[in-house]
Amino acid sequence: MKKSIKFNYLFIITVACFIVFFSAVTSIESYHTNQKKLLLVTGTNELTQEEAQRLKVNAVSYGIWKDEQEEFHTDHQYILVKMKSRKLLVSSNDIEDIIKYTNK
């Protein structure tokens, strides 16, 4: 009888450790995913190789971003947003402002 109780406690402790480990890994992964930044470049502008290297963003997307400009209430050429939450971080017509923001 006592041996069965010890195994039950061991099983419960093992399951509890697994749940804590799984939730910790999931929350860390979610935090890092939410920190990723996307730079939307509107119009025919393209970043130079030097500008692209100085930027600390996870992705750059070129195109006509009229819907996003309306969504974020801006008419700037460069729009920096968080990937997952789609939160506007900064927008500007000068790439140097974006570079300064990402490097601070």
Side-chain angles (χ1 to χ4, degrees), residues 38-78:
L38 169 66
L39 178 63
L40 303 173
V41 180
T42 302
T44 58
N45 298 341
E46 284 199 27
L47 299 177
T48 64
Q49 188 69 20
E50 178 186 317
E51 292 170 340
Q53 289 175 348
R54 290 174 43 205
L55 275 172
K56 291 186 179 175
V57 296
N58 298 92
V60 177
S61 186
Y62 300 96
I64 308 292
W65 301 107
K66 290 293 182 195
D67 294 338
E68 283 74 6
Q69 285 178 326
E70 291 174 10
E71 177 185 346
F72 299 124
H73 307 291
T74 184
D75 60 348
H76 293 126
Q77 294 176 340
Y78 303 100

Side-chain angles (χ1 to χ4, degrees), residues 2-3 5 7 13 17 30 40 49 56-57 68 70 94 99:
K2 288 185 179 183
K3 197 173 193 179
I5 292 174
F7 284 122
I13 290 171
C17 288
S30 176
L40 303 173
Q49 188 69 20
K56 291 186 179 175
V57 296
E68 283 74 6
E70 291 174 10
D94 186 15
I99 292 171

Side-chain angles (χ1 to χ4, degrees), residues 75-87:
D75 60 348
H76 293 126
Q77 294 176 340
Y78 303 100
I79 304 170
L80 185 66
V81 296
K82 284 190 175 183
M83 277 187 180
K84 189 170 184 179
S85 64
R86 301 284 293 173
K87 177 183 172 190

